[in-house]
Amino acid sequence: MAISNMQAIKQSNYSAIYKLLYTNDKLSKQLIAEQLQLSLPTVSTNLQDLLQYGLIKKNGKFESQMGRRATAYSINPTAIVSLGVEIFFDHATIVLINTHGNLIDTSRLSLMFNRQESYFKQFGEWINKFIKEQKLSREQIAGIGIGIQGLVSNDGQTILYGKILNCTGLSVEDFKAYLDYDITFYHDADCVAVAEQNQEQSNQDAIYLSIGEHLGTSIMVAGQIYSGQNGRSGTMEHVTLDSHRGRPCYCGKKGCIETYCSLSSLLVDNESATAFFNRLSQNDADTMARWQTYLDYLADAINNLHMFVDNPIVIAGEIVRYIDQSTINDLAERTRKITAFPDDHNYLVLGKVTDYAVAIGAGLPKIEEAIDNI
Ligand SMILES: [Zn+2]
């Protein structure tokens, strides 16, 4: 057998053992050999190599009725970490996540977004400081994902359309001047979908309706974001109902669903979502009336989405902090009343990620890439 073939097999065993451990809490050498149909010496050699590189660790012993208790092996969840960032117009947040996508720590930077050199410098200094404080080595960091309110090129290197932050044309190179890491942009609504799927540990086909200050939508098919030819699929927020007389949208058009279903459409000037939902919980009459109108609009949007794609619709994003299953049931009831088809099944789901969904979802693909490359 050619040497290159031998090396390829060795590499694939090494990789298969790591990936098997990644999807299991812990396993013994025997169980790994059985599941991958490898010999015990082959498994032993690879486990030694994985231990030496710090990718896995010994994790106690398994219970045994007789004989020696077998050593348990698990992945080392901090061997590969990534950083996820969300950029807002007046601040940015960063999360550090481990190999399982679990949150380790966060930081916040108050800084108005702009495209001056000084912004990228301060942004870079903030992240480099965070990396230092977390005592992370360069080898540990799989990369930095930046979740941003805008449409992103398929290679994640350029913002194709960024009206909210006025960042059309923004490039990862602008950040790399002060941040020497692998950096990729992701559409914020897609990040929310990725974070939700990671939390659910599922990759069911679904639409993620992300409701925060602004609205975003993402379509997940076979565990992948369906972004379409130009990265515009699923931008439900700019579907219009009355483009001549409707409410003005930040995109420059009128009547976009964004102007009826985002949190900024629900709130009045200087009103925070927390203040609104506090008043709602106190049964304030005016607040309750606004909420009822909002839910009617939202039910319309959900029903329209479901007409296009017959899959679960997950209500995700910032709104998840403020609502519970009773709101989902209420919305389901409203959609049943307006749908054209007799819809007896329940397709509406409440998301689970209440905090840092965009930043977590921006960090996760880097981890996935690093695991794929083992
Ligand atoms: Zn619009």
Side-chain angles (χ1 to χ4, degrees), residues 237-238 249-251 253 256 258:
E237 54 272 32
H238 300 297
C249 179
Y250 67 79
C251 73
K253 305 290 175 203
C256 294
E258 158 75 25

Side-chain angles (χ1 to χ4, degrees), residues 10 39 59 61 141 181 193 197 204 238 288 291 315 330:
K10 266 188 178 170
S39 72
N59 190 5
K61 301 265 186 188
I141 301 171
Y181 289 92
Q197 287 223 327
Q204 70 166 348
H238 300 297
M288 283 167 75
W291 182 234
I315 303 297
D330 179 334

Side-chain angles (χ1 to χ4, degrees), residues 183-324:
I183 304 175
T184 308
F185 291 136
Y186 301 99
H187 181 203
D188 59 350
D190 293 344
C191 296
V192 172
V194 168
E196 284 289 345
Q197 287 223 327
N198 183 64
Q199 184 74 27
E200 285 281 343
Q201 292 286 305
S202 90
N203 59 359
Q204 70 166 348
D205 296 350
I207 290 184
Y208 291 82
L209 183 58
S210 173
I211 306 173
E213 182 188 3
H214 298 289
L215 201 68
T217 337
S218 185
I219 307 170
M220 191 72 92
V221 180
Q224 301 289 326
I225 301 291
Y226 178 72
S227 44
Q229 250 179 347
N230 299 300
R232 289 182 201 162
S233 283
T235 44
M236 174 75 174
E237 54 272 32
H238 300 297
V239 167
T240 58
L241 281 182
D242 186 351
S243 60
H244 298 286
R245 290 165 293 270
R247 299 173 179 178
C249 179
Y250 67 79
C251 73
K253 305 290 175 203
K254 285 181 180 171
C256 294
I257 289 182
E258 158 75 25
T259 66
Y260 296 91
C261 296
S262 62
L263 285 184
S264 54
S265 76
L266 169 68
L267 306 174
V268 292
D269 285 349
N270 298 321
E271 183 182 34
S272 71
T274 310
F276 176 90
F277 286 101
N278 274 341
R279 272 195 292 277
L280 187 66
S281 68
Q282 290 156 9
N283 296 329
D284 172 70
D286 170 59
T287 309
M288 283 167 75
R290 282 160 61 199
W291 182 234
Q292 293 303 314
T293 306
Y294 175 83
L295 289 176
D296 275 339
Y297 287 141
L298 189 53
D300 274 332
I302 290 165
N303 183 49
N304 289 342
L305 268 176
H306 192 239
M307 288 290 163
F308 276 102
V309 184
D310 183 13
N311 279 107
I313 295 177
V314 182
I315 303 297
E318 191 189 335
I319 201 168
V320 175
R321 284 182 217 162
Y322 306 108
I323 62 173
D324 57 20

